[in-house]
Amino acid sequence: MTGEDLLIAQSRGGDTRAFDLLVEKYQDRVYDLAYRITGHHADAQDAAQEAFVKAYLALGTFRGDAAFSTWLHRIAVNAAYDAVRRRPPAGSQPVEAAAAAVDPLGDRAERVEARGRILLAIAALPLEQRAVVVLRDIQGWSYEEIAAIAEIPLGTVRSRLARGREALKAALADLAPVDSRAYAGGNAS
């Protein structure tokens, strides 16, 4: 039994400290995923919190068919989708200044504008494409893991990723090639 398996078992038994350790392990990735999907700090915080609450309440249903991280990220994607759907459709900009998010381009001042455009281009993708692009190109999940997280066939993962990448390429065509790939955090493939 791994340390994570032990924490899961203890959490199922009502040990909230064990679950707190699981939250600490995954909170940054879950928040980052939610932020990249929702484009809003507050929505991402709400979605991440909702994901952890739902995961805690549903621990009894976790069968271990997939890794705990896959199961948790599936819950987080759904919570982020819900946050986007709850948002009023008109009047709000899709992406805030991303000061709290990981900056794949670094801190150089000349890249601030490109970074903002990349974040806007990701936020402009249809929700399903956005989630797949974030999971693969920013967080580095495998195609198989994304299929499990999103509960979609592998072919659908590939097609959504291809369409999302093409849309990003078109939206960012005037940026230097290194910048247009930088959204991927070095994981584009």
Side-chain angles (χ1 to χ4, degrees):
M1 179 178 277
T2 67
E4 183 170 280
D5 292 336
L6 180 60
L7 290 175
I8 292 166
Q10 291 171 335
S11 297
R12 282 182 170 160
D15 183 344
T16 56
R17 180 64 189 137
F19 192 74
D20 287 345
L21 292 173
L22 289 169
V23 170
E24 287 175 22
K25 180 176 181 176
Y26 291 106
Q27 67 186 355
D28 290 342
R29 284 183 62 105
V30 166
Y31 169 81
D32 185 61
L33 172 65
Y35 181 81
R36 303 287 180 163
I37 291 173
T38 65
H40 291 275
H41 175 67
D43 287 347
Q45 286 182 318
D46 290 346
Q49 182 175 355
E50 181 181 330
F52 285 116
V53 168
K54 285 183 176 183
Y56 182 76
L57 295 174
L59 270 174
T61 66
F62 175 65
R63 297 183 311 256
D65 297 340
F68 177 78
S69 60
T70 302
W71 180 76
L72 177 62
H73 279 73
R74 178 182 313 136
I75 294 169
V77 165
N78 289 333
Y81 282 175
D82 290 345
V84 170
R85 290 182 188 118
R86 284 191 299 262
R87 186 181 310 138
S92 65
Q93 184 66 279
V95 175
E96 300 169 333
V102 175
D103 181 5
L105 297 175
D107 294 327
R108 295 193 287 175
E110 65 271 12
R111 296 202 175 188
V112 170
E113 181 182 347
R115 180 175 147 258
R117 288 205 35 226
I118 292 167
L119 291 172
L120 285 170
I122 291 170
L125 292 173
L127 195 53
E128 292 79 11
Q129 289 176 19
R130 186 182 330 155
V132 172
V133 166
V134 169
L135 287 166
R136 176 66 188 155
D137 290 339
I138 295 175
Q139 292 202 332
W141 292 92
S142 72
Y143 291 94
E144 293 79 10
E145 290 167 325
I146 296 168
I149 290 168
E151 297 181 308
I152 56 176
L154 190 57
T156 304
V157 170
R158 292 181 190 282
S159 65
R160 287 181 184 175
L161 185 58
R163 286 193 304 270
R165 285 175 173 169
E166 282 301 312
L168 288 173
K169 183 178 175 182
L172 303 170
D174 63 321
L175 293 178
V178 68
D179 289 340
S180 66
R181 288 188 304 267
Y183 80 90
N187 292 326
S189 57

